[in-house]
């Protein structure tokens, strides 16, 4: 039967025992649905039915039954089924869902989510002390999940994540080291004072090594942290002996001057280093799951597969490192842990005494990834073209094919030479300023 507009009616309006009216109509699959709402007047129900039928014809209709799936369940399935997610990204998404999304929005049906609820959820995160950065990550995840719900599964008519700027992170400017600071940091990484801290009735007392003998400091410290700071200060001033694990020296230099990510550097094998040609081949990356599982896979992006030039000034350092710390076979790790396995992020900070090392050069809070940032800055100072810089750094772009084919020749050689010249010039200048050899800047080799 046609309606007033001349369209053939697919559904009907029924009067319930309560006296209110409710619509019924077949969905695109032919199965009959009952509208979730009731109407006081039949004319209102008729208009609602006409709107639903128009949405079905235009393909914009969303199934109210399907929209009843809860966001927590839908989000969990979305993460599992999402193609191409790297393991660490999947771990991050599951943590955000569990920690910051499900407690607030997890029980709400996807089809019932509104912009107001999203706004209130984000405000609650921030008011409860969640950082702007983490809140932005959580918001972007919800937005991506609901984009799939709208565009692929038609669970709701539009994405309720419509808060301008909510997904933007202001990470701030990361620090850039000088050449002198890079070499000093490499020298300090892995250096640990010889000593221990003991609790006594009045506080804490430290024992320290001095010329191979253990001595007891007469001072009593109010806290273990104060005693530890005192021990590190004594070591930095030469009043206490130090152990020095030099396996991190070459790692810091190569990660900086070749612009390597942590996972790329720790996955390097002997066969990836060509010290005659002064190049390093990046073809794999380690990923450490939140469970502790170590996975080996391709670099972060297609452009991550690359060959990068190594400044000549650190080649002797790498030769010495390989002779001492790496096994003598092509597939051996260049930077193994103490037991021969791959280095782990969590263990690295402790084994290298990273917090104390960066504090010693006046860069408290420096991250390992900032070494790559520093190397990128050095490369940019060479005056190379953007495309060539992105090839060296392993960044994707619209011309990814050209970048991927770039093989440490031509432009990259010029970048490497410029970095090498910059490093050697800084060493010479520092040596002249100190009126003598700058020991801290001269690589071992």
């Amino acid at each position: 039967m046609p309606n007033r507009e001349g369209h053939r009616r697919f559904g009907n309006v029924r009067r319930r025992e309560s006296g209110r009216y409710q619509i019924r109509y077949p969905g695109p699959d032919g199965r009959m649905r009952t509208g979730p709402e009731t109407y006081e007047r039949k004319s209102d129900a008729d208009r609602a039915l006409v709107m639903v039928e128009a949405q079905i014809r235009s393909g914009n209709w969303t199934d109210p039954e399907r929209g009843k799936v809860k966001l927590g369940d839908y989000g969990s399935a979305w993460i599992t089924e999402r193609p191409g997610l790297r393991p660490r990204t999947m771990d991050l998404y599951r943590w955000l869902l569990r920690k910051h999304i499900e407690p607030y929005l997890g029980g709400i049906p996807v089809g019932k989510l509104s912009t107001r609820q999203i706004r209130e959820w984000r405000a609650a995160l921030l008011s409860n002390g969640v950082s702007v950065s983490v809140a932005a990550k959580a918001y972007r995840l919800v937005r991506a999940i609901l984009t799939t719900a709208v565009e692929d599964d038609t669970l709701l008519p539009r994405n309720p994540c419509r808060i301008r700027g909510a997904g933007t992170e202001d990470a701030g400017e990361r620090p850039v080291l000088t050449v002198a600071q890079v070499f000093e940091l490499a020298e300090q990484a892995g250096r640990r004072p010889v000593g221990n801290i003991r609790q006594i009735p009045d506080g804490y007392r430290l024992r320290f090594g001095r010329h191979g003998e253990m001595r007891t400091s007469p001072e009593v410290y109010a806290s273990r942290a104060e005693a530890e700071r005192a021990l590190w200060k004594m070591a930095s001033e030469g009043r206490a002996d130090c152990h020095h694990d030099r396996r991190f020296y070459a790692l810091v230099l190569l990660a900086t001057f070749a612009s390597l990510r942590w996972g790329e550097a720790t996955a390097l094998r002997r066969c990836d280093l060509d010290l005659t040609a002064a190049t390093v081949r990046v073809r794999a990356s380690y990923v450490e799951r939140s469970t502790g599982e170590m996975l080996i896979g391709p670099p972060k992006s297609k452009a991550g597969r690359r060959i990068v030039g190594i400044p000549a000034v650190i080649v002797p350092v790498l030769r010495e490192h390989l002779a001492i710390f790496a096994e003598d076979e092509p597939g051996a790790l260049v930077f193994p842990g103490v037991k021969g396995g791959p280095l782990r992020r969590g263990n690295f900070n402790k084994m290298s005494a990273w917090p104390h090392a960066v504090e010693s050069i006046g860069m408290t809070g420096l991250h390992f990834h900032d070494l790559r940032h520093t190397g990128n800055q050095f490369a940019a100072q060479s005056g190379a073209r953007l495309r060539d810089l992105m090839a060296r750094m392993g960044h994707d772009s619209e011309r990814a094919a050209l970048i991927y084919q770039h093989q440490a020749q031509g432009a990259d050689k010029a970048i490497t030479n410029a970095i090498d010249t910059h490093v050697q010039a800084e060493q010479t200048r520092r040596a002249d300023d100190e009126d003598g050899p700058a020991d801290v800047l001269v690589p071992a080799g």
Side-chain angles (χ1 to χ4, degrees):
M1 178 178 177
N3 59 15
R4 293 178 181 177
E5 286 74 25
H7 298 296
R8 183 172 180 79
R9 297 293 291 271
F10 295 104
N12 55 71
V13 176
R14 293 185 177 183
R15 187 173 184 178
R16 303 185 57 165
E17 292 182 0
S18 62
R20 296 180 66 84
Y21 296 90
Q22 194 168 28
I23 63 175
R24 281 178 55 79
Y25 53 91
D29 57 4
R31 186 167 62 87
M32 291 298 294
R33 269 87 167 172
T34 299
E37 299 180 16
T38 60
Y39 305 90
E40 184 176 353
R41 296 187 295 268
K42 185 175 183 299
S43 59
D44 293 335
D46 283 333
R47 280 193 291 271
L49 182 58
V50 170
M51 291 181 62
V52 169
E53 290 171 344
Q55 290 171 349
I56 292 175
R57 289 192 187 94
S58 65
N60 295 323
W61 176 77
T62 57
D63 189 344
E65 292 298 319
R66 296 182 64 198
K68 290 181 180 179
V69 61
K70 295 179 179 179
L71 179 62
D73 297 332
Y74 186 79
S76 180
W78 184 92
I79 295 172
T80 301
E81 299 166 1
R82 192 72 174 173
L85 283 184
R86 294 175 65 86
R88 282 180 62 85
T89 302
M90 184 175 290
D91 289 345
L92 172 63
Y93 284 175
R94 291 202 180 282
W95 178 79
L96 289 171
L97 183 68
R98 181 180 66 255
K99 181 75 173 179
H100 297 303
I101 299 172
E102 285 188 323
Y104 299 87
L105 303 174
I108 301 176
V110 172
K112 296 291 185 181
L113 283 167
S114 66
T115 299
R116 179 177 179 178
Q117 289 172 318
I118 298 297
R119 187 183 302 111
E120 291 174 348
W121 158 68
R122 178 174 176 271
L125 290 182
L126 296 174
S127 65
N128 288 335
V130 177
S131 69
V132 173
S133 176
V134 172
K137 288 182 173 66
Y139 178 86
R140 291 200 304 269
L141 176 57
V142 172
R143 184 174 60 193
I145 291 171
L146 295 183
T147 295
T148 300
V150 173
E151 297 181 358
D152 296 349
D153 296 335
T154 61
L155 302 187
L156 69 170
R158 73 170 190 170
N159 196 328
C161 292
R162 309 176 72 84
I163 306 172
R164 183 173 300 178
T168 302
E169 293 182 61
D170 184 9
E173 185 67 25
R174 295 307 305 167
V176 176
L177 303 181
T178 65
V179 170
Q181 285 176 319
V182 173
F183 277 96
E184 177 65 14
L185 177 59
E187 183 65 37
Q188 292 299 324
R191 188 184 294 273
R192 306 183 65 85
V194 177
N196 56 70
I197 299 168
R198 297 179 179 179
Q199 186 172 11
I200 59 177
D202 296 333
Y204 294 86
R205 176 164 285 164
L206 65 84
R207 285 174 54 79
F208 61 96
R210 180 64 170 163
H211 302 312
E213 297 182 358
M214 293 301 295
R215 304 180 182 182
T216 300
S217 173
E219 289 85 355
V220 176
Y221 301 92
S223 67
R224 179 176 294 274
E226 288 184 16
E228 184 177 356
R229 283 195 294 271
L231 178 59
W232 279 93
K233 183 177 180 181
M234 292 173 66
S236 66
E237 295 174 351
R239 294 185 290 119
D241 296 340
C242 284
H243 290 305
H244 193 184
D245 186 349
R246 295 187 64 84
R247 72 181 62 246
F248 308 111
Y249 185 78
L251 173 62
V252 170
L253 297 182
L254 185 62
T256 303
F257 297 122
S259 295
L260 301 181
R261 300 177 176 92
W262 166 265
E264 295 170 348
T266 56
L268 290 176
R269 308 281 170 166
R270 261 186 178 268
C271 59
D272 295 322
L273 286 180
D274 185 342
L275 298 184
T276 301
T279 61
V280 56
R281 175 179 56 171
V282 181
R283 58 190 176 92
S285 179
Y286 268 119
V287 176
E288 185 173 354
R289 302 288 300 272
S290 59
T291 59
E293 180 184 12
M294 293 289 289
L295 302 176
I296 187 75
K300 189 174 182 179
S301 63
K302 287 184 178 180
R305 293 180 181 270
R306 62 200 189 278
I307 293 180
V308 181
I310 303 171
V313 71
I314 69 169
V315 169
V317 177
L318 292 169
R319 291 190 190 279
E320 181 183 38
H321 175 88
L322 292 175
I324 297 174
F325 297 106
E327 295 182 7
D328 191 16
E329 58 183 54
L333 288 169
V334 173
F335 300 110
V338 175
K339 297 182 179 179
L343 285 173
R344 293 175 175 269
R345 283 177 179 266
N347 291 343
F348 170 75
N349 276 358
K350 181 178 180 180
M351 293 167 56
S352 67
W354 185 261
H356 296 283
V358 297
E359 183 178 354
S360 70
I361 66 168
M363 298 297 287
T364 300
L366 185 84
H367 300 159
F368 186 90
H369 192 74
D370 294 325
L371 301 181
R372 170 175 158 83
H373 178 58
T374 295
N376 289 345
Q377 291 290 332
F378 291 162
Q381 293 169 8
S382 69
R385 295 178 302 169
L386 177 61
R387 188 183 70 185
D388 300 321
L389 288 174
M390 297 188 78
R392 182 180 180 87
M393 300 171 192
H395 285 168
D396 277 327
S397 75
E398 295 180 354
R399 292 172 283 186
L402 292 175
I403 295 174
Y404 185 70
Q405 292 171 357
H406 198 79
Q407 296 288 303
Q409 298 172 355
D412 188 73
K413 183 63 175 175
I415 295 173
T416 304
N417 290 341
I419 294 174
D420 197 27
T421 301
H422 176 54
V423 172
Q424 295 195 45
E426 284 292 311
Q427 289 181 303
T428 301
R429 183 189 62 77
R430 186 175 175 86
D432 290 343
D433 289 346
E434 295 181 357
D435 193 26
D439 293 340
V440 72
L441 296 182
V442 179

